[in-house]
Every structure is written in structure tokens, then in C-alpha cells.
């Protein structure tokens, strides 16, 4: 299929697809007239890209995984992939922990407000926000060092 149909099918812009191609993430074939043709391999790759992006992988990490996938299976290739996954798993676990705490804080705040107890618990709510901010900062520092 051509770029417009491929973009529409996956709810992406043609600019995004061209960018992915420029970055080496997608490799559509080109017809003599220069039109890009997206085949089944491109469809598998775009699904891979979209899922990993949703999980939190960067385009650079996705590119690394796609490059590793093209290499022959080896211990070093497996170890490199495992290390990348371990780092991503740790980051996702950290995000989950943050969102669980944030959810509990929001639920408590919503309950206090629904019961008309916002004013008397304003300091508690402020403290919850401060705690979430501190956890967010800890996560940002940890993510930058991994």
C-alpha cells in the first residue's frame, strides 16, 4: 500500500512515516516513480514501533531493538537485549509505583472533597502533592542515569 493508505490505517501522519524511514525504523520499497510501498514487513514493524512507544520505549531504543533483531542470534546480542529490557522494566515498575501512589492520593482527595472536608484537610492534600512531586523528581533523576 502507498504512504497515505498506510498512514491512515495506522492513524499516523505521512510526515511521521517519513521520519521513521529517515531514522531507519521503516524501510518501505520504492517504485520507479519514487512512491513508497509498504508491505507486510512494514506492517509488522509499525505495530512493533507503536506498541513499544506506548510502553515507553524511545525511538532510539526501538531502533536498537530492530537492529539487534537483524543480527544473528548470539550470546552478546541476547545480553544486549536483556540489558535493554531490564532497564525498561525497572523504569516501568517505577512509573507503576508512582501512578499507584498518585491514584491513592487522588482517591483520598476526591473523598475528602465529596465529604466537604477539603478546607480542613488542605494541608494534608498539599502534603500529598509535595510527596508526589518528590517521587516524580526521584524518578526523573533515576531515569536520566539509566
Amino acid at each position: 500500500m502507498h504512504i497515505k493508505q498506510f498512514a491512515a490505517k495506522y492513524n499516523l501522519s505521512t510526515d511521521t512515516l517519513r521520519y521513521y524511514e529517515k531514522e531507519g525504523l521503516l524501510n518501505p520499497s520504492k517504485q520507479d516513480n519514487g512512491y513508497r510501498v509498504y508491505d507486510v514487513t512494514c506492517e509488522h514493524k509499525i505495530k512493533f514501533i507503536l506498541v513499544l512507544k506506548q510502553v515507553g520505549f524511545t525511538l532510539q531504543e526501538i531502533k536498537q531493538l530492530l537492529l539487534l533483531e537483524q543480527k544473528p542470534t548470539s550470546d552478546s546480542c541476547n545480553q544486549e537485549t536483556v540489558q535493554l529490557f531490564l532497564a525498561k522494566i525497572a523504569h516501568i515498575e517505577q512509573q507503576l509505583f508512582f501512578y499507584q501512589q498518585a491514584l491513592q492520593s487522588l482517591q483520598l482527595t476526591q473523598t475528602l472533597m465529596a465529604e466537604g472536608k477539603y478546607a480542613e484537610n488542605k494541608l494534608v492534600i498539599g502534603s500529598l502533592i509535595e510527596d508526589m512531586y518528590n517521587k516524580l523528581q526521584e524518578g526523573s533523576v533515576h531515569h536520566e542515569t539509566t
Side-chain angles (χ1 to χ4, degrees):
M1 76 184 80
H2 290 113
I3 193 167
K4 285 186 181 180
Q5 293 123 344
F6 194 77
K9 182 174 182 175
Y10 292 100
N11 200 27
L12 298 167
S13 71
T14 55
D15 287 341
T16 298
L17 293 174
R18 286 186 194 100
Y19 179 75
Y20 288 173
E21 181 181 352
K22 181 181 157 218
E23 291 297 312
L25 298 167
L26 282 176
N27 303 307
S29 59
K30 290 191 180 174
Q31 295 176 326
D32 292 339
N33 59 9
Y35 288 173
R36 291 165 174 84
V37 178
Y38 293 85
D39 60 10
V40 174
T41 301
C42 290
E43 290 199 74
H44 290 298
K45 281 187 178 182
I46 199 66
K47 290 174 185 177
F48 182 79
I49 292 166
L50 294 173
V51 167
L52 291 183
K53 274 186 65 185
Q54 185 65 35
V55 173
F57 280 80
T58 65
L59 289 180
Q60 197 59 35
E61 291 167 331
I62 294 169
K63 183 177 181 178
Q64 185 179 357
L65 287 170
L66 288 170
L67 289 172
L68 286 168
E69 184 180 50
Q70 294 171 6
K71 290 182 178 182
T73 303
S74 68
D75 286 341
S76 64
C77 183
N78 286 344
Q79 283 304 317
E80 196 174 338
T81 304
V82 166
Q83 290 306 312
L84 185 58
F85 282 169
L86 285 173
K88 190 52 66 179
I89 289 167
H91 179 70
I92 291 171
E93 286 173 339
Q94 191 175 38
Q95 286 180 312
L96 281 171
F97 182 71
F98 174 79
Y99 282 121
Q100 287 168 339
Q101 288 186 314
L103 179 62
Q104 290 171 352
S105 296
L106 289 171
Q107 288 170 329
L108 175 60
T109 302
Q110 182 269 328
T111 299
L112 291 172
M113 292 181 82
E115 294 173 356
K117 298 178 181 177
Y118 173 76
E120 63 200 60
N121 288 290
K122 201 171 183 179
L123 291 176
V124 171
I125 293 167
S127 176
L128 292 172
I129 296 295
E130 186 72 26
D131 288 346
M132 287 191 315
Y133 174 78
N134 290 333
K135 296 248 185 294
L136 188 61
Q137 291 304 100
E138 290 169 14
S140 295
V141 170
H142 176 73
H143 180 62
E144 290 173 1
T145 60
T146 56

